[in-house]
Amino acid sequence: MATENQDSIQIAADKYRSFLYEEVHNTEWRHGAPPIYDDVNKLFEQGRTKEWPKGSLEEVVQNALKSWEMELSHKTRLEDFRTINPEKFKLIVNGREGLSAEETLKVGSYNALLKSSMPEEYKYYKADEESFDSSHDVFRMALPRGFAWEVISVYSGPPLIAFKFRHWGYFEGPFKGHAPTGDLLQFYGIGILKVDESLRAEDVEIYYDPSELFAGLLKGPLISGSEHTDASTHKCPFNV
């Protein structure tokens, strides 16, 4: 007979993400149970530009990255991760110093990807001032239907996988004092993924232009009374 926990895991089964539905009794989930991806899966299926054949290298890479993001966002212990080699893992974004698995898990995916070396007056998103939870809250509010991700091209197979990706969502909630516009926000990037013989990630390198995202997020008018309405303290380099 299935337990209540097993039932919840079965309900959370996801065709794009591995290790959600397996009956791993000791997995520690950040919110107490496996996540449900129905909304972002719908956004993905409606907005994707590529539909890869089942079992193709492109589909394998796409689902592997979705599974890694799921674990990073929803599991709290590295020992429960199945998609990475924790001892060797490094996340490198736009050539910055790599983050270890422990460091990446601590700060979260948004803070890891959006950390910037720009002068303080140009930072509308300050990763150093955001926690794991607050960073996810910011983007969950701004993009309530989710932030979908797809592989556009794969240039090489394992063990060193190079690929192009697209990330998109709809700006339908406030962002840092800016009112939503309802517009489609998207950006493209390049990734390099080094995997071991079990296809666990050892190195993940991501290269992209954050201005493609922030230009859209900062396009909305400032909300009256917001702490971000003082334009003298936040100059926007992306309004071009």
Side-chain angles (χ1 to χ4, degrees), residues 75-87:
K75 293 182 178 181
T76 60
R77 304 184 305 185
L78 288 178
E79 65 197 73
D80 293 329
F81 278 49
R82 305 282 295 280
T83 60
I84 70 169
N85 182 332
E87 290 76 26

Side-chain angles (χ1 to χ4, degrees), residues 202-217:
E202 294 185 344
D203 290 326
V204 178
E205 295 185 51
I206 300 295
Y207 299 91
Y208 77 106
D209 182 356
S211 69
E212 292 184 5
L213 172 63
F214 283 110
L217 288 170

